[in-house]
Amino acid sequence: MADTVGDVVIKNMSGRLALSFKTRTEGFVVAETDSTIIAGAYVSPNISIGDYEKYLDSIHRILSCESKNVIMMGDFNCKSRLAGSSYNNRKGELLADLMESLGYYCINDNTPTFEARGHCSELDLVIIDGRWGSDQYEWRVLDQDIASDHFAVKLIMKDGVLFVTMDRQLPIRPSAQQTERIVERVAYTHRNILEATPDTLTTIIQQEMDKEIRATNRRGQVYWWSDEIAGYRRALQKARRKKTKA
């Protein structure tokens, strides 16, 4: 389930969760379960303040009439004290106004979700309905390398055991050579492919494509890079996050 321009996607990875598409606009897509609204958001860092305000207005129009509890996750590209930033910029103030008008709050705990060229920020936010208390969820930023300068955010809702993950990867389309490798792997690994159902076949191809994209989407390593240096880098990242939390 994607927004109108393909900037943000909601994907149901659970066979137990009945998730259906509800509505979408540019940079915003909404799905729902029997009791919950799940929204994904992405807004470009390059848009003007006026366009940012219009974007948030569209979110308000969509969510203001909802009676179900809401989970909204996305890259809002703003600086907000509500997410743990040291200051508010104008976009952060506008987002705070939106949350106040809807009765939502941000559950980020100032753990950075973005890192590039030594700079850390809390760009990927989790915003939930105020009717949910802090004892009803667990939230954390994951350490796994996902071939992106953004880290995955995991939210586990205890009521109903709802899992929501956000994983913003660097976008890339498979080349002709990559497509050939994907087809060869699928044909070799799954010998009984002709017996697969359309849904099973789609899942198999998607899994192989994800593997191929992850394998080729890694940042290039210089000649002096080693496993030892990689270990120091991971330790430094964890120490930096702990210091930021403190």
Side-chain angles (χ1 to χ4, degrees):
M1 292 168 273
D3 71 314
T4 55
V5 294
D7 281 341
V8 58
V9 175
I10 295 176
K11 184 175 182 179
N12 187 3
M13 303 295 291
S14 171
R16 299 179 291 109
L17 181 65
L19 185 66
S20 58
F21 170 78
K22 186 171 179 64
T23 188
R24 64 179 177 173
T25 184
E26 183 175 344
F28 195 65
V29 59
V30 182
E32 64 180 340
T33 68
D34 290 339
S35 60
T36 307
I37 295 294
I38 301 172
Y42 172 75
V43 57
S44 169
N46 302 316
I47 68 172
S48 66
I49 296 296
D51 287 338
Y52 195 89
E53 190 167 9
K54 291 177 182 177
Y55 172 77
L56 296 183
D57 285 343
S58 69
I59 292 178
H60 187 275
R61 285 193 297 271
I62 291 172
L63 296 181
S64 59
C65 58
E66 290 296 340
S67 58
K68 298 179 180 179
N69 288 358
V70 174
I71 297 171
M72 180 164 55
M73 305 178 72
D75 182 355
F76 288 90
N77 273 303
C78 68
K79 295 289 186 179
S80 173
R81 287 194 178 95
L82 297 176
S85 179
S86 59
Y87 69 97
N88 284 333
N89 62 10
R90 180 55 183 153
K91 292 178 180 178
E93 292 172 351
L94 291 172
L95 182 61
D97 291 342
L98 172 72
M99 286 189 281
E100 182 179 2
S101 66
L102 292 173
Y104 299 167
Y105 64 102
C106 180
I107 66 173
N108 288 58
D109 63 358
N110 84 350
T111 302
T113 65
F114 167 84
E115 180 182 1
R117 298 181 296 277
H119 173 70
C120 296
S121 296
E122 305 82 10
L123 299 182
D124 307 288
L125 308 183
V126 181
I127 298 169
I128 67 175
D129 198 296
R131 289 171 287 187
W132 266 316
S134 59
D135 62 334
Q136 294 178 278
Y137 62 81
E138 295 178 7
W139 177 92
R140 60 192 176 102
V141 178
L142 303 182
D143 290 325
Q144 291 97 320
D145 182 5
I146 57 171
S148 173
D149 47 11
H150 289 246
F151 295 96
V153 177
K154 187 171 186 178
L155 174 67
I156 305 175
M157 303 302 297
K158 295 180 180 178
D159 183 13
V161 197
L162 174 65
F163 299 86
V164 182
T165 22
M166 181 170 57
D167 182 346
R168 181 176 180 271
Q169 295 185 356
L170 298 175
I172 184 170
R173 294 178 180 270
S175 64
Q177 292 80 8
Q178 288 175 314
T179 302
E180 288 180 5
R181 287 197 293 269
I182 292 169
V183 171
E184 289 175 359
R185 273 205 306 273
V186 169
Y188 178 79
T189 307
H190 306 278
R191 301 300 178 88
N192 58 344
I193 196 72
L194 295 178
E195 300 176 8
T197 65
D199 288 343
T200 302
L201 179 59
T202 299
T203 301
I204 291 171
I205 294 175
Q206 184 64 58
Q207 289 173 345
E208 294 298 335
M209 183 176 292
D210 289 345
K211 291 178 184 177
E212 182 68 27
I213 295 302
R214 285 176 181 270
T216 57
N217 209 15
R218 302 289 181 182
R219 296 180 178 89
Q221 294 181 356
V222 292
Y223 69 92
W224 44 263
W225 190 261
S226 67
D227 291 340
E228 182 180 11
I229 295 175
Y232 287 137
R233 180 178 181 272
R234 287 192 294 270
L236 177 61
Q237 288 175 336
K238 290 183 179 179
R240 181 184 296 147
R241 291 181 190 175
K242 289 180 181 178
K243 182 178 179 180
T244 304
K245 281 186 177 182

